[in-house]
Amino acid sequence: MPELAEVEFFKNVWSKGLPHRITRVELNPGCRVFRKAEVASLRETLTQNVLLRSLAHGKQMAFGFKGRVWLHVHLGMAGRLLNLPLPYLRDKHDHLVLHTARRALVFRDTRHFGNILLSRGEQPLGWEALPPALLDPRFTRDLLVAFLQRRRQAPIKAVLLMQERFPGIGNWMADEILWRARIHPGQKAGTLTARQQGKLFQEIRAVAEDALAVIGTHWGDPPDSWLFNHRWRDGGLCPKSGKPLVRETIGGRTTCFSPALQRIKEVP
DNA sequence: CCCCATGTTCGACA
DNA sequence: GTGTCGAACATGGG
């Protein structure tokens, strides 16, 4: 579920009504989502603390508390954040619950691939070294081209999923980008023509912008003109060409594309 | 029962 | 060391 825009949405869910004084912390100590955290100090540090602000970068979130404390949240494959009215009824997959006087801020994750940890400092631990966001002016075409060269042997689909360069791109965004740019997901990253590189750069930013606009604030449904609404249905048709979509495993992930539009171009 | 899942990490191998 | 690939992680849903 959570890619760039979904993460932004969930960040906003917990941010509504800031600041929040935390009266009580409920957690599920043995859960795998705390594999990088010290559960006792997490409870101790957050109880009676105040949630002041929130940050999102790619698929990561950081919630800033008084005393330069940061709560890092990664949603993994199935994690979500909820902001529930009282009375709050605990679900078996609620692994961290921050109670305020009137709300329950919940981290819920059925598959336990998410992770939670605490850090202290002016910035969240490790965030000074993050790559530029997709919509940051420092994310440039040159940066993209250099990375495609470095990963030249890998299929372009696999390369777009690499968070070290494309923070926030996940499976559906990668497919959407390649479909819009008319690039076959299996094409080797190093064989893209200059025209394809330009188109790819443009569509990365366009999909990030569009996804944030539609999903980032209110979780709207993407329009049927996107690949998004057609990608999982058997017999789905490409909304641009009307031709059948196909699904293949590329870069280890199920990949949906339109063979009529997305053909491999070999560079001389 | 079988297969699949919007993510990351780790070990094997070239 | 560099880079790629598949399995593993834990659970629910079709």
Side-chain angles (χ1 to χ4, degrees):
Chain A
M1 191 184 291
E3 301 183 18
L4 181 79
E6 292 90 347
V7 168
E8 180 67 22
F9 174 83
F10 286 127
K11 182 204 78 169
N12 290 330
V13 165
W14 268 21
S15 303
K16 199 177 161 205
L18 285 178
H20 298 301
R21 173 169 291 279
I22 308 305
T23 56
R24 189 161 57 91
V25 174
E26 231 178 322
L27 45 74
N28 189 5
C31 185
R32 196 179 122 89
V33 302
F34 297 115
R35 61 197 175 279
K36 297 177 180 174
E38 350 62 44
V39 165
S41 91
L42 202 143
R43 185 197 306 274
E44 192 178 333
T45 306
L46 297 184
T47 302
Q48 294 307 324
N49 207 326
V50 182
L51 174 55
L52 299 172
R53 59 189 180 277
S54 58
L55 304 170
H57 186 98
K59 296 175 187 171
Q60 312 186 56
M61 288 175 280
F63 294 93
F65 290 76
K66 260 176 75 175
R68 306 187 318 161
V69 168
W70 296 96
L71 178 70
H72 300 238
V73 178
H74 191 294
L75 296 170
M77 192 83 107
R80 39 201 288 226
L81 299 184
L82 308 168
N83 184 335
L84 301 176
L86 304 180
Y88 157 71
L89 294 176
R90 187 160 181 179
D91 182 273
K92 68 189 273 208
H93 299 297
D94 293 351
H95 308 303
L96 177 67
V97 186
L98 307 180
H99 291 271
T100 74
R102 19 184 91 233
R103 313 286 296 186
L105 306 179
V106 177
F107 168 74
R108 182 173 293 174
D109 182 6
T110 54
R111 290 176 70 183
H112 306 183
F113 290 168
N115 82 69
I116 297 226
L117 75 98
L118 213 57
S119 73
R120 286 167 203 275
E122 290 307 320
Q123 288 185 79
L125 183 65
W127 280 45
E128 68 289 339
L130 291 177
L134 304 177
L135 295 175
D136 188 315
R138 286 168 293 185
F139 178 78
T140 60
R141 181 174 161 163
D142 285 350
L143 214 53
L144 168 68
V145 169
F147 194 73
L148 295 180
Q149 183 53 25
R150 186 141 88 80
R151 302 294 185 164
R152 68 187 87 97
Q153 295 290 9
I156 184 63
K157 165 68 184 272
V159 173
L160 284 180
L161 292 174
M162 295 178 181
Q163 301 299 297
E164 63 192 281
R165 180 48 66 220
F166 307 110
I169 294 186
N171 206 25
W172 78 254
M173 276 184 81
D175 286 357
E176 193 78 32
I177 289 163
L178 292 171
W179 174 72
R180 288 203 199 180
R182 305 193 178 211
I183 296 170
H184 190 291
Q187 183 168 348
K188 301 266 193 244
T191 70
L192 266 62
T193 64
R195 183 181 293 272
Q196 285 182 313
Q197 292 169 346
K199 189 72 176 153
L200 181 62
F201 178 68
Q202 186 184 320
E203 297 301 346
I204 287 171
R205 295 174 56 94
V207 169
E209 197 168 359
D210 291 351
L212 286 169
V214 173
I215 298 168
T217 53
H218 62 288
W219 204 285
D221 287 325
D224 283 344
S225 57
W226 294 18
L227 178 63
F228 188 93
N229 288 336
H230 311 271
R231 52 176 292 125
W232 294 118
R233 207 174 50 246
D234 281 333
L237 298 179
C238 168
K240 271 193 247 179
S241 66
K243 303 276 174 55
L245 296 167
V246 303
R247 273 169 288 176
E248 285 177 21
T249 298
I250 298 177
R253 307 295 299 281
T254 298
T255 299
C256 177
F257 63 101
S258 172
L261 296 182
Q262 297 166 263
R263 282 189 292 269
I264 293 185
K265 290 193 171 59
E266 285 304 335
V267 82

